[in-house]
Amino acid sequence: MTDGALIVQSDKTLLLEVDHPRSADARRAIAPFAELERAPEHIHTYRITPLGLWNARAAGHDAEQVVDALVTHSRYPVPHALLIDVADTMARYGRLTLTKDAESRLVLRTTDRAVLTEVLRHKKIKPLIGDRIDDDTVIVHPSERGHLKQELLKVGWPAEDEAGYVDGEAHAISLDQSDGWALRPYQEQAVDGFWDGGSGVVVLPCGAGKTLVGAGAMAKASATTLILVTNTVSARQWKDELLRRTSLTEDEIGEYSGARKEIRPVTIATYQVLTTRRKGVYTHLDLLDAKDWGLVVYDEVHLLPAPIFRMTADLQARRRLGLTATLVREDGLESDVFSLIGPKRFDAPWKDIEAQGYIAPADCVEVRVTLPDGQRMAYAVAEPDERYRLASCSDAKPPVVEQLVEKHRGEPTLVIGQYLDQLDELADRLDADVITGATTVTERQRLYAAFREGEISLLVVSKVANFSIDLPEASVAIQVSGTFGSRQEEAQRLGRVLRPKGDGRTAHFYTVVARDTVDADFAAHRQRFLAEQGYAYRIIDAADLD
């Protein structure tokens, strides 16, 4: 690699090697524009893409800050030409702007005529625009606002959207702080960052109060609001929180799910019901046009399904707020989040929030087991697509889980996994209740309530508990299998135990991994995002457990 500093890849990606990777200063400086690629013990490699640089630019970081971070924290001297390239890439954002002209028409305006001429020659962009007003301005069909942003991003010229938003139907919403609570400083910063930008994504750790950021944005908008969530349990938790934290009443909040179809000034809908197809038609997507919404909130925006993306392309005149713990998407659709929901407007490092006492410190441990001889041979001859399940569901794992549960007996503990037969077996061995996708909403709510109230201290849960489940008492999580190498799932699962504990104790996150298998490879990939946030995994052998 040139001068040992950065590797330039064919997709315009740069790889930056950093010494002392767990330095808070290095993480804080690099995180706004880069994503962790590899995390060995002493040297971290960060991945820098144009999208990452444009997200940083939209969030208020300039090229001088990024260049300074590269020069300060790179393991080797950075070639000057690459620093120029980084600055030039960031300078692309904002040379094209979507705005309104004096006649309130939607227009694409440029500060660089050659750029406008270049993009207008692209075949997929031509149908999205109308007449050219002058050398610097062209009319845009209002219905193509989202599609145009997508296409401009693809050709390397992201447009800054300053065209404004309709107010939507007014509806009075205020924060109810009568019992003395207030938004935390970072939550206020997140609300202000979103509102000033108009639309975009707020990234906060699990347990840091993303729902309150949503409530704060709703109070700013004081308009009818559509909230899209992952499941019915999440919808009801949102409703409970809004009733507790805002001026909204029961009659003002509707649930639009498999069980209920209520459209009210504030409507909470599940992704699942909106993406249900009948005879090839998404019959419920009309909900997005059912009212004159002033705000659309996308909870867990990193999970947004493709049909919602497509409908969001037509909602560009509405303010849109995405909430997530990590913008990482394993399907590579971060660019659609950027184009259609909006760029990242606020991002708080997890360790900074922990240092302020708003999330619990966590001890992350990878416990390695060895496959029994018979299973080792079965693994060796298995087809590649069968190997992960064989390793994940190894007979060596249940005794380790039992040992960890016993070690933390009496502490609120979640055992989390991917495979239902594995979870059923663990629930039997541990004499614990199990929650999967087949568990009814009523039963899930009953078990979650019993866990919160201390009636039970152990639950076995599938991936249905990854997202938007409020279990503040959980202090131990034991992961036995996951969705291959999903980084966002790892972050969500750690998030289940990060709510601050009343006595200030540390949370514990265990992942049980079969060594010398793809299970270990995927575990290393899953841990990348959390390593970037400053969480160090201790690796111990199952035989060395206390």
Short mmCIF file of all heavy atoms in Angstrom, two decimals, residues 421-457:
data_model
loop_
_atom_site.label_atom_id
_atom_site.label_comp_id
_atom_site.label_asym_id
_atom_site.label_seq_id
_atom_site.Cartn_x
_atom_site.Cartn_y
_atom_site.Cartn_z
N ASP A 421 -35.20 -24.49 17.48
CA ASP A 421 -35.03 -25.76 18.18
C ASP A 421 -33.96 -25.65 19.26
O ASP A 421 -34.08 -26.23 20.35
CB ASP A 421 -34.71 -26.89 17.20
CG ASP A 421 -33.58 -26.58 16.25
OD1 ASP A 421 -33.10 -25.42 16.24
OD2 ASP A 421 -33.16 -27.49 15.50
N GLN A 422 -32.92 -24.88 18.99
CA GLN A 422 -31.88 -24.64 19.99
C GLN A 422 -32.46 -23.90 21.20
O GLN A 422 -32.18 -24.24 22.35
CB GLN A 422 -30.74 -23.84 19.38
CG GLN A 422 -29.60 -23.52 20.33
CD GLN A 422 -28.57 -22.59 19.70
OE1 GLN A 422 -28.93 -21.65 18.98
NE2 GLN A 422 -27.30 -22.84 19.96
N LEU A 423 -33.30 -22.90 20.94
CA LEU A 423 -33.90 -22.13 22.02
C LEU A 423 -34.87 -22.96 22.85
O LEU A 423 -34.91 -22.85 24.08
CB LEU A 423 -34.60 -20.89 21.46
CG LEU A 423 -33.70 -19.89 20.75
CD1 LEU A 423 -34.52 -18.73 20.21
CD2 LEU A 423 -32.61 -19.37 21.69
N ASP A 424 -35.65 -23.82 22.17
CA ASP A 424 -36.57 -24.69 22.91
C ASP A 424 -35.80 -25.64 23.83
O ASP A 424 -36.20 -25.87 24.98
CB ASP A 424 -37.43 -25.49 21.92
CG ASP A 424 -38.49 -24.64 21.24
OD1 ASP A 424 -38.85 -23.58 21.80
OD2 ASP A 424 -38.94 -25.01 20.14
N GLU A 425 -34.69 -26.18 23.31
CA GLU A 425 -33.88 -27.07 24.14
C GLU A 425 -33.32 -26.33 25.34
O GLU A 425 -33.33 -26.84 26.48
CB GLU A 425 -32.72 -27.65 23.31
CG GLU A 425 -31.80 -28.57 24.12
CD GLU A 425 -30.51 -28.91 23.41
OE1 GLU A 425 -30.42 -28.69 22.18
OE2 GLU A 425 -29.58 -29.38 24.08
N LEU A 426 -32.82 -25.11 25.12
CA LEU A 426 -32.26 -24.33 26.23
C LEU A 426 -33.33 -23.98 27.25
O LEU A 426 -33.09 -24.02 28.47
CB LEU A 426 -31.60 -23.06 25.69
CG LEU A 426 -30.25 -23.26 25.00
CD1 LEU A 426 -29.83 -22.00 24.25
CD2 LEU A 426 -29.17 -23.64 26.03
N ALA A 427 -34.53 -23.62 26.77
CA ALA A 427 -35.62 -23.27 27.68
C ALA A 427 -35.96 -24.47 28.57
O ALA A 427 -36.21 -24.32 29.77
CB ALA A 427 -36.84 -22.81 26.90
N ASP A 428 -35.97 -25.67 27.99
CA ASP A 428 -36.25 -26.88 28.77
C ASP A 428 -35.16 -27.12 29.82
O ASP A 428 -35.45 -27.41 30.98
CB ASP A 428 -36.35 -28.10 27.85
CG ASP A 428 -37.65 -28.11 27.05
OD1 ASP A 428 -38.59 -27.38 27.43
OD2 ASP A 428 -37.71 -28.81 26.00
N ARG A 429 -33.90 -27.00 29.39
CA ARG A 429 -32.79 -27.27 30.31
C ARG A 429 -32.76 -26.25 31.45
O ARG A 429 -32.38 -26.58 32.58
CB ARG A 429 -31.46 -27.24 29.56
CG ARG A 429 -31.28 -28.37 28.57
CD ARG A 429 -29.94 -28.31 27.87
NE ARG A 429 -28.83 -28.57 28.77
CZ ARG A 429 -27.78 -29.33 28.49
NH1 ARG A 429 -27.71 -29.96 27.31
NH2 ARG A 429 -26.80 -29.48 29.34
N LEU A 430 -33.12 -25.01 31.12
CA LEU A 430 -33.03 -23.93 32.10
C LEU A 430 -34.33 -23.73 32.87
O LEU A 430 -34.39 -22.89 33.78
CB LEU A 430 -32.64 -22.62 31.40
CG LEU A 430 -31.29 -22.60 30.70
CD1 LEU A 430 -31.17 -21.35 29.82
CD2 LEU A 430 -30.15 -22.65 31.72
N ASP A 431 -35.37 -24.48 32.47
CA ASP A 431 -36.70 -24.31 33.07
C ASP A 431 -37.15 -22.85 32.98
O ASP A 431 -37.54 -22.23 33.97
CB ASP A 431 -36.70 -24.77 34.53
CG ASP A 431 -38.14 -24.86 35.10
OD1 ASP A 431 -39.07 -25.03 34.28
OD2 ASP A 431 -38.30 -24.75 36.32
N ALA A 432 -37.02 -22.31 31.76
CA ALA A 432 -37.32 -20.89 31.54
C ALA A 432 -38.39 -20.74 30.46
O ALA A 432 -38.59 -21.62 29.61
CB ALA A 432 -36.05 -20.15 31.11
N ASP A 433 -39.07 -19.61 30.48
CA ASP A 433 -40.02 -19.28 29.42
C ASP A 433 -39.26 -18.87 28.17
O ASP A 433 -38.17 -18.28 28.24
CB ASP A 433 -40.94 -18.14 29.86
CG ASP A 433 -41.88 -18.55 30.98
OD1 ASP A 433 -42.75 -19.39 30.71
OD2 ASP A 433 -41.73 -18.04 32.11
N VAL A 434 -39.88 -19.14 27.01
CA VAL A 434 -39.24 -18.81 25.74
C VAL A 434 -40.17 -17.91 24.93
O VAL A 434 -41.40 -18.11 24.92
CB VAL A 434 -38.87 -20.08 24.95
CG1 VAL A 434 -40.09 -20.92 24.62
CG2 VAL A 434 -38.09 -19.74 23.68
N ILE A 435 -39.61 -16.92 24.27
CA ILE A 435 -40.36 -16.01 23.41
C ILE A 435 -39.79 -16.08 22.00
O ILE A 435 -38.59 -15.83 21.80
CB ILE A 435 -40.29 -14.56 23.92
CG1 ILE A 435 -40.94 -14.43 25.29
CG2 ILE A 435 -40.97 -13.59 22.94
CD1 ILE A 435 -40.82 -13.04 25.90
N THR A 436 -40.65 -16.43 21.03
CA THR A 436 -40.25 -16.48 19.62
C THR A 436 -41.30 -15.75 18.81
O THR A 436 -42.26 -15.20 19.34
CB THR A 436 -40.14 -17.94 19.14
OG1 THR A 436 -41.46 -18.52 19.09
CG2 THR A 436 -39.25 -18.77 20.05
N GLY A 437 -41.12 -15.78 17.49
CA GLY A 437 -42.09 -15.13 16.62
C GLY A 437 -43.48 -15.75 16.73
O GLY A 437 -44.48 -15.11 16.41
N ALA A 438 -43.54 -17.02 17.16
CA ALA A 438 -44.83 -17.69 17.29
C ALA A 438 -45.57 -17.34 18.57
O ALA A 438 -46.75 -17.65 18.72
CB ALA A 438 -44.62 -19.21 17.21
N THR A 439 -44.88 -16.68 19.51
CA THR A 439 -45.52 -16.31 20.77
C THR A 439 -46.49 -15.16 20.53
O THR A 439 -46.15 -14.18 19.87
CB THR A 439 -44.46 -15.86 21.80
OG1 THR A 439 -43.43 -16.86 21.88
CG2 THR A 439 -45.07 -15.66 23.17
N THR A 440 -47.69 -15.27 21.02
CA THR A 440 -48.69 -14.23 20.78
C THR A 440 -48.25 -12.91 21.43
O THR A 440 -47.46 -12.91 22.39
CB THR A 440 -50.06 -14.62 21.38
OG1 THR A 440 -49.95 -14.68 22.80
CG2 THR A 440 -50.53 -15.95 20.82
N VAL A 441 -48.76 -11.81 20.89
CA VAL A 441 -48.41 -10.49 21.43
C VAL A 441 -48.82 -10.41 22.90
O VAL A 441 -48.07 -9.90 23.74
CB VAL A 441 -49.09 -9.38 20.61
CG1 VAL A 441 -48.93 -8.03 21.30
CG2 VAL A 441 -48.51 -9.33 19.21
N THR A 442 -49.99 -10.94 23.23
CA THR A 442 -50.47 -10.90 24.62
C THR A 442 -49.52 -11.64 25.55
O THR A 442 -49.17 -11.16 26.64
CB THR A 442 -51.88 -11.50 24.72
OG1 THR A 442 -52.76 -10.77 23.87
CG2 THR A 442 -52.39 -11.46 26.15
N GLU A 443 -49.07 -12.82 25.12
CA GLU A 443 -48.15 -13.62 25.94
C GLU A 443 -46.79 -12.93 26.05
O GLU A 443 -46.16 -12.93 27.12
CB GLU A 443 -48.01 -15.02 25.35
CG GLU A 443 -47.07 -15.95 26.10
CD GLU A 443 -47.55 -16.30 27.52
OE1 GLU A 443 -48.64 -15.85 27.93
OE2 GLU A 443 -46.82 -17.02 28.22
N ARG A 444 -46.31 -12.35 24.94
CA ARG A 444 -45.05 -11.62 24.99
C ARG A 444 -45.12 -10.49 26.02
O ARG A 444 -44.22 -10.32 26.84
CB ARG A 444 -44.71 -11.00 23.62
CG ARG A 444 -44.28 -11.98 22.57
CD ARG A 444 -43.81 -11.23 21.34
NE ARG A 444 -44.13 -11.94 20.12
CZ ARG A 444 -43.78 -11.55 18.90
NH1 ARG A 444 -43.10 -10.43 18.74
NH2 ARG A 444 -44.10 -12.26 17.84
N GLN A 445 -46.20 -9.73 25.95
CA GLN A 445 -46.35 -8.60 26.87
C GLN A 445 -46.41 -9.08 28.31
O GLN A 445 -45.84 -8.46 29.21
CB GLN A 445 -47.59 -7.79 26.51
CG GLN A 445 -47.45 -6.99 25.22
CD GLN A 445 -48.69 -6.17 24.92
OE1 GLN A 445 -49.79 -6.69 24.85
NE2 GLN A 445 -48.50 -4.88 24.74
N ARG A 446 -47.09 -10.22 28.54
CA ARG A 446 -47.18 -10.76 29.90
C ARG A 446 -45.80 -11.14 30.42
O ARG A 446 -45.44 -10.83 31.56
CB ARG A 446 -48.10 -11.98 29.92
CG ARG A 446 -48.34 -12.55 31.32
CD ARG A 446 -49.07 -13.87 31.29
NE ARG A 446 -48.24 -14.97 30.79
CZ ARG A 446 -47.32 -15.60 31.52
NH1 ARG A 446 -47.08 -15.24 32.78
NH2 ARG A 446 -46.61 -16.59 30.99
N LEU A 447 -45.03 -11.83 29.58
CA LEU A 447 -43.70 -12.28 30.01
C LEU A 447 -42.74 -11.11 30.19
O LEU A 447 -41.96 -11.08 31.15
CB LEU A 447 -43.13 -13.29 29.00
CG LEU A 447 -43.83 -14.65 28.98
CD1 LEU A 447 -43.35 -15.49 27.80
CD2 LEU A 447 -43.61 -15.39 30.29
N TYR A 448 -42.79 -10.15 29.28
CA TYR A 448 -41.93 -8.96 29.43
C TYR A 448 -42.29 -8.22 30.72
O TYR A 448 -41.40 -7.75 31.45
CB TYR A 448 -42.08 -8.02 28.23
CG TYR A 448 -41.46 -8.53 26.95
CD1 TYR A 448 -42.06 -8.27 25.72
CD2 TYR A 448 -40.26 -9.24 26.96
CE1 TYR A 448 -41.49 -8.72 24.53
CE2 TYR A 448 -39.69 -9.69 25.78
CZ TYR A 448 -40.31 -9.43 24.56
OH TYR A 448 -39.75 -9.87 23.39
N ALA A 449 -43.58 -8.10 31.00
CA ALA A 449 -44.01 -7.41 32.23
C ALA A 449 -43.53 -8.17 33.47
O ALA A 449 -43.05 -7.56 34.44
CB ALA A 449 -45.53 -7.26 32.25
N ALA A 450 -43.64 -9.50 33.44
CA ALA A 450 -43.18 -10.31 34.58
C ALA A 450 -41.67 -10.15 34.78
O ALA A 450 -41.17 -10.11 35.91
CB ALA A 450 -43.53 -11.78 34.35
N PHE A 451 -40.93 -10.05 33.68
CA PHE A 451 -39.48 -9.86 33.74
C PHE A 451 -39.17 -8.48 34.33
O PHE A 451 -38.31 -8.34 35.21
CB PHE A 451 -38.89 -10.01 32.34
CG PHE A 451 -37.39 -10.02 32.30
CD1 PHE A 451 -36.68 -11.20 32.46
CD2 PHE A 451 -36.67 -8.85 32.09
CE1 PHE A 451 -35.29 -11.22 32.42
CE2 PHE A 451 -35.29 -8.85 32.04
CZ PHE A 451 -34.59 -10.04 32.20
N ARG A 452 -39.88 -7.46 33.83
CA ARG A 452 -39.64 -6.10 34.32
C ARG A 452 -39.96 -5.98 35.81
O ARG A 452 -39.29 -5.24 36.54
CB ARG A 452 -40.48 -5.09 33.53
CG ARG A 452 -39.89 -4.72 32.18
CD ARG A 452 -40.60 -3.53 31.57
NE ARG A 452 -41.96 -3.86 31.15
CZ ARG A 452 -42.29 -4.25 29.94
NH1 ARG A 452 -41.36 -4.40 29.00
NH2 ARG A 452 -43.55 -4.52 29.63
N GLU A 453 -40.99 -6.68 36.24
CA GLU A 453 -41.42 -6.56 37.64
C GLU A 453 -40.68 -7.51 38.58
O GLU A 453 -40.95 -7.54 39.78
CB GLU A 453 -42.92 -6.79 37.71
CG GLU A 453 -43.73 -5.68 37.04
CD GLU A 453 -45.17 -6.08 36.74
OE1 GLU A 453 -45.59 -7.15 37.25
OE2 GLU A 453 -45.84 -5.35 35.99
N GLY A 454 -39.77 -8.32 38.04
CA GLY A 454 -38.96 -9.19 38.88
C GLY A 454 -39.62 -10.51 39.24
O GLY A 454 -39.09 -11.26 40.06
N GLU A 455 -40.79 -10.80 38.64
CA GLU A 455 -41.45 -12.07 38.93
C GLU A 455 -40.67 -13.24 38.35
O GLU A 455 -40.67 -14.35 38.90
CB GLU A 455 -42.87 -12.06 38.36
CG GLU A 455 -43.79 -11.03 39.02
CD GLU A 455 -45.12 -10.94 38.30
OE1 GLU A 455 -45.44 -11.85 37.51
OE2 GLU A 455 -45.85 -9.96 38.53
N ILE A 456 -40.01 -13.00 37.20
CA ILE A 456 -39.10 -13.99 36.63
C ILE A 456 -37.80 -13.28 36.32
O ILE A 456 -37.79 -12.08 36.02
CB ILE A 456 -39.68 -14.65 35.35
CG1 ILE A 456 -40.02 -13.60 34.29
CG2 ILE A 456 -40.88 -15.50 35.67
CD1 ILE A 456 -40.50 -14.21 32.98
N SER A 457 -36.69 -14.00 36.41
CA SER A 457 -35.39 -13.37 36.20
C SER A 457 -34.65 -13.95 34.99
O SER A 457 -33.51 -13.56 34.72
CB SER A 457 -34.51 -13.52 37.44
OG SER A 457 -34.28 -14.90 37.72
#
